[in-house]
């Protein structure tokens, strides 16, 4: 296997949509990370003379092929980062700035974000004796166009030609030119750059001859996104866009701007000529033009592209390839590796493996903790431990009385937790004084339960704790697991479950860490927003992946000799 490869496609453009799926499938057996696609229809690698890269005109069939390419890639090699390169696609023989265009699209080899280690092609060798000559020509051609790794390997892919493909080849191709524009604009979230994003960006790059403006949704535009807490940071999304576009079409002037409303710069920039939309966002493009007209600007040409269907989508996911579906698929998986613990965390055993489960009120944390217990984990309920530390005669009992006075006692001398709650409610100093007493005592009890589980030979402990992160208990657990739901759903659940007002429920949530803040510390995230069966599948996925991690950890710690 190679980490990065470049695929040189030589078939006629009207034939490629039929054969790209088997070609990609073959390539995926050799490349496991990044696959660049370079198009040169009619390239003859068997003529004996060194092949030279040439400029290709942007045509309608090219736009159609880009869509098909990314759709097939999502279907047959979804694990690959596929990038279609456009350096050799240009509408006119002169550059937009007025300077003369080089006779070759590659006056010097173009550096890519990941240097190719292998070059692949769909070129069909007619005479087997020519194979060595063809591979040498292929390697020289790739090295002429792009900066490749030293010792570049070459592989000829031979997908079977279909009968209708031969018929199309004999018919020849009729190319219709695609109109291009000096300045093109698109907008979107661009979370976890996927095939539909890449198709949109590639088509936009074909259309844009000079400048490409991209509005990227900022925080204000994420409020209604599904699992918005899992959307990548704005800076990371911009970084990935820049890298992709630098590979794709380095000659293009790219401007990436934050999008704080649905319109952004598209309604105020007089130089813009075209906006790229889909069937789903066409109305948004029409609204942009209405605003431009109101602002005294020329309306934009609306270039509509196809949505890419997601053949792997589930019933609750969108039929199209989308970021929301990708975020949903992250639930129950390891989002971030466990942090290395301090050297003095000697109280953290290798086994049992300790999971800290947390989440806000109404998030479904208790239900998930019980499901993990049913799968075999030892559940340590910190809410119950909290009741224990208030018992008469405990160290915490005496400390609480000393700080808050005897007026918080019931007639039987037990602590009235409601009276205590009234004393600390809305008073940060009093609340901190209480948590400074109680939290260390709960932590000590929890750690004693973990030690007991170790003595009993248990494999996994789940510390069920709403205040896990606020209390700073992460040093004595291996991983943080978090469950989240949108605030409005949490408010609805709290009011129904506890019989409190909406205002009380909102205040309770506001006193806790926000979902976004908690996600920053989480290794695994769940969401109990949907039906219980969907949550159960997330938990089962997380549990099975956890067993794999534990086995790897045991193997690393003891050469695989532990039997648990």
């Amino acid at each position: 296997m190679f980490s990065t490869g470049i695929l040189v496609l030589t078939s006629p453009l009207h034939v490629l949509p039929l054969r790209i799926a088997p070609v990609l499938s073959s390539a995926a057996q050799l490349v496991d990370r990044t696959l660049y696609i370079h198009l040169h229809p009619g390239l003859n690698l068997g003529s004996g003379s060194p092949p030279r890269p040439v400029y290709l005109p942007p045509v309608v069939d090219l736009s159609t092929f880009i869509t098909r390419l990314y759709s097939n890639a999502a279907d047959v090699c979804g694990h690959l980062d596929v990038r279609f390169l456009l350096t050799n696609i240009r509408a006119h023989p002169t550059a937009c700035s007025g300077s003369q265009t080089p006779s070759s699209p590659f006056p010097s080899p173009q550096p890519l974000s990941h240097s190719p280690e292998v070059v692949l092609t769909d070129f069909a060798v007619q005479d087997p004796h020519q194979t060595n000559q063809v591979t040498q020509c292929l390697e020289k051609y790739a090295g002429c166009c792009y900066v490749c790794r030293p010792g570049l390997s070459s592989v000829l892919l031979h997908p079977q030609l279909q009968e209708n493909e031969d018929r199309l080849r004999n018919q020849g191709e009729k190319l219709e030119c695609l109109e291009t524009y000096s300045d093109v604009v698109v907008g979107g979230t661009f979370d976890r750059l996927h095939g539909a994003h890449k198709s949109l960006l590639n088509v936009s790059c074909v259309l844009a001859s000079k400048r490409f403006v991209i509005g990227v949704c900022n925080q204000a535009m994420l409020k209604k996104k599904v699992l918005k807490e899992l959307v990548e940071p704005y800076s990371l999304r911009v970084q990935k866009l820049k890298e992709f576009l630098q590979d794709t079409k380095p000659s293009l002037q790219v401007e990436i701007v934050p999008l704080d409303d649905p319109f952004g710069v598209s309604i105020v920039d007089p130089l813009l000529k075209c906006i790229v939309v889909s069937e789903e966002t066409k109305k948004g493009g029409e609204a942009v033009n209405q605003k431009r007209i109101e602002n005294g600007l020329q309306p934009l040409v609306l270039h509509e592209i196809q949505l890419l269907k997601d053949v792997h989508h589930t019933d609750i996911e969108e039929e199209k390839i989308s970021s929301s579906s990708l975020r949903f698929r992250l639930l129950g998986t390891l989002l971030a590796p466990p942090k290395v613990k301090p050297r003095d965390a000697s109280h953290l055993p290798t086994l049992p493996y300790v999971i800290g489960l947390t989440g806000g009120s109404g998030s479904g944390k208790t239900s998930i903790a019980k499901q993990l217990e049913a799968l075999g984990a030892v559940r340590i309920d910190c809410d119950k431990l909290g009741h224990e530390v208030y018992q008469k005669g405990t160290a915490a009992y005496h400390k609480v009385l000393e700080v808050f006075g005897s007026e918080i006692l019931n007639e039987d001398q037990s602590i009235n937790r409601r009276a205590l709650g009234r004393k600390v409610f809305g008073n940060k100093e009093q609340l901190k004084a209480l948590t400074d007493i109680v939290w260390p005592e709960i932590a000590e009890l929890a750690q004693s339960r973990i030690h007991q589980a170790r003595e009993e030979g248990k494999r996994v402990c789940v510390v069920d704790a709403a205040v896990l992160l606020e209390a700073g208990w992460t040093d004595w657990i291996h991983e943080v697991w978090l469950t989240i739901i949108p605030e409005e759903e949490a408010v609805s659940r709290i009011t129904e479950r506890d019989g409190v007002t909406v205002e009380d429920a909102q205040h309770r949530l506001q006193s806790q860490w926000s979902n976004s803040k908690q996600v920053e510390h989480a290794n695994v995230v769940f969401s109990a927003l949907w039906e219980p069966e969907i949550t159960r599948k997330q938990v089962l996925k997380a549990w099975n992946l956890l067993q794999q991690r534990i086995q790897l950890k045991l193997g690393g710690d003891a050469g695989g000799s532990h039997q648990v």
Side-chain angles (χ1 to χ4, degrees):
M1 291 293 289
F2 300 91
S3 175
T4 305
I6 185 162
L7 171 59
V8 178
L9 296 174
T10 66
S11 299
L13 192 54
H14 67 296
V15 172
L16 271 174
L18 292 171
R19 73 181 322 190
I20 190 60
V23 170
L24 286 173
S25 182
S26 298
Q29 296 175 36
L30 298 162
V31 178
D32 63 8
R33 189 179 71 172
T34 305
L35 180 65
Y36 291 108
I37 311 289
H38 174 93
L39 183 66
H40 191 148
L43 177 66
N44 188 351
L45 295 168
S47 65
S49 57
R52 296 173 60 186
V54 296
Y55 282 111
L56 304 174
V59 292
V60 173
D61 282 359
L62 177 63
S63 177
T64 304
F65 171 67
I66 288 171
T67 302
R68 178 68 69 89
L69 166 70
Y70 284 111
S71 178
N72 287 153
D75 187 12
V76 303
C77 56
H79 64 288
L80 283 182
D81 176 7
V82 175
R83 304 185 181 193
F84 185 67
L85 303 171
L86 296 168
T87 302
N88 61 329
I89 312 292
R90 186 164 287 180
H92 306 293
T94 56
C96 302
S97 61
S99 60
Q100 190 66 31
T101 301
S103 57
S104 167
F106 301 95
S108 60
Q110 176 188 332
L112 298 169
S113 299
H114 312 283
S115 296
E117 305 162 63
V118 63
V119 56
L120 315 168
T121 186
D122 65 342
F123 181 79
V125 178
Q126 303 301 321
D127 181 355
H129 297 293
Q130 285 186 309
T131 300
N132 287 338
Q133 176 187 308
V134 169
T135 55
Q136 288 175 12
C137 286
L138 178 61
E139 291 166 13
K140 287 180 181 177
Y141 180 84
C144 177
C145 299
Y146 304 100
V147 177
C148 300
R149 297 272 180 91
L152 181 73
S153 301
S154 56
V155 177
L156 308 182
L157 305 176
H158 300 289
Q160 292 296 315
L161 295 178
Q162 300 173 3
E163 188 176 324
N164 59 347
E165 215 180 306
D166 289 330
R167 188 176 67 252
L168 278 172
R169 186 184 295 275
N170 294 332
Q171 288 176 355
E173 57 181 324
K174 298 176 182 178
L175 299 179
E176 177 187 351
C177 284
L178 188 69
E179 187 171 358
T180 59
Y181 307 90
S182 59
D183 299 76
V184 174
V185 64
V186 300
T189 308
F190 298 102
D191 178 40
R192 292 179 168 80
L193 211 56
H194 52 65
H197 291 141
K198 293 174 183 178
S199 178
L200 168 66
L201 294 168
N202 271 129
V203 171
S204 300
C205 285
V206 171
L207 295 171
S209 58
K210 180 181 179 182
R211 184 173 67 121
F212 183 23
V213 180
I214 309 172
V216 178
C217 292
N218 214 347
Q219 202 62 37
M221 291 287 289
L222 302 179
K223 292 179 180 178
K224 294 184 179 180
K225 296 290 182 183
V226 175
L227 298 170
K228 64 179 184 294
E229 297 87 357
L230 300 185
V231 173
E232 293 175 318
Y234 174 83
S235 59
L236 180 58
R237 287 179 279 141
V238 168
Q239 176 188 328
K240 290 183 177 181
L241 276 173
K242 287 180 176 178
E243 179 190 297
F244 179 82
L245 293 168
Q246 179 62 30
D247 279 345
T248 302
K249 195 171 181 180
S251 63
L252 205 56
Q253 178 187 338
V254 174
E255 295 178 14
I256 301 177
V257 295
L259 199 57
D260 294 311
D261 60 65
F263 301 105
V265 298
S266 65
I267 61 173
V268 295
D269 189 331
L271 299 177
L272 294 174
K273 306 297 181 187
C274 171
I275 184 169
V276 184
V277 297
S278 66
E279 180 184 353
E280 191 179 65
T281 60
K282 187 175 181 180
K283 287 186 177 180
E286 292 169 349
V288 164
N289 277 341
Q290 184 60 42
K291 289 283 188 181
R292 285 181 69 88
I293 292 169
E294 292 172 6
N295 291 339
L297 299 175
Q298 287 292 317
L300 304 175
V301 174
L302 268 61
H303 183 95
E304 186 176 340
I305 63 169
Q306 292 181 334
L307 292 170
L308 300 192
K309 290 189 176 180
D310 185 351
V311 297
H312 303 293
H313 79 278
T314 62
D315 290 342
I316 70 164
E317 295 174 348
E318 296 184 86
E319 291 187 8
K320 64 173 185 174
I321 294 176
S322 71
S323 298
S324 60
S325 294
L326 294 183
R327 291 194 294 275
F328 176 80
R329 292 169 196 174
L330 291 173
L331 297 173
T333 68
L334 191 67
L335 298 181
K339 292 182 179 178
V340 177
K341 302 302 178 184
R343 289 180 178 273
D344 61 353
S346 55
H347 51 280
L348 182 64
T350 301
L351 286 177
Y353 200 83
V354 184
I355 299 299
L357 177 65
T358 191
S361 295
S363 65
K365 175 178 63 66
T366 300
S367 172
I368 289 174
K370 289 178 179 178
Q371 291 179 49
L372 292 169
E373 185 176 23
L375 288 168
V378 174
R379 180 187 172 204
I380 300 170
D381 187 342
C382 287
D383 189 46
K384 288 185 177 179
L385 298 185
H387 286 279
E388 286 187 32
V389 301
Y390 285 109
Q391 295 299 312
K392 286 190 292 185
T394 63
Y397 174 87
H398 294 294
K399 290 177 184 176
V400 168
L401 285 184
E402 184 180 329
V403 173
F404 295 98
S406 59
E407 60 267 27
I408 63 169
L409 293 177
N410 293 312
E411 289 184 5
D412 63 358
Q413 300 301 300
S414 63
I415 291 176
N416 185 322
R417 294 184 66 178
R418 291 197 172 206
L420 179 59
R422 287 193 293 270
K423 272 188 171 281
V424 301
F425 181 78
N427 188 320
K428 290 184 179 179
E429 290 184 3
Q430 289 282 73
L431 180 59
K432 186 176 185 306
L434 178 61
T435 57
D436 283 349
I437 295 170
V438 175
W439 284 353
E441 298 292 332
I442 296 175
E444 188 174 328
L445 285 177
Q447 289 172 55
S448 71
R449 300 293 196 278
I450 293 170
H451 180 75
Q452 180 182 341
R454 184 183 187 186
E455 295 294 316
E456 295 171 359
K458 302 298 185 182
R459 188 179 177 93
V460 178
C461 283
V462 173
V463 179
D464 177 359
V467 297
L468 180 84
L469 298 174
E470 294 94 324
W473 292 343
T474 55
D475 282 351
W476 46 273
I477 63 170
H478 291 94
E479 295 180 16
V480 175
W481 288 15
L482 168 70
T483 176
I484 59 173
I485 57 171
E487 182 177 327
E488 56 272 20
E489 176 65 19
V491 168
S492 174
R493 292 183 183 185
I494 294 168
T495 54
E496 183 178 344
R497 182 190 66 193
D498 300 342
V500 299
T501 65
V502 169
E503 291 74 17
D504 286 341
Q506 289 173 336
H507 183 82
R508 186 184 303 180
L509 292 172
Q510 289 163 4
S511 69
Q512 301 169 353
W513 281 20
S514 68
N515 285 343
S516 296
K517 186 175 181 180
Q518 291 187 87
V519 165
E520 292 175 7
H521 299 268
N523 302 106
V524 175
V525 174
F526 306 101
S527 179
L529 177 60
W530 299 277
E531 291 81 4
E533 176 61 18
I534 293 172
T535 307
R536 191 190 70 80
K537 288 180 179 179
Q538 295 172 33
V539 174
L540 189 59
K541 181 200 295 186
W543 179 260
N544 290 335
L545 291 173
L546 173 65
Q547 302 312 308
Q548 296 175 21
R549 293 200 292 281
I550 292 174
Q551 200 58 48
L552 283 173
K553 186 175 178 64
L554 291 176
D557 288 347
S561 61
H562 274 78
Q563 298 295 319
V564 182

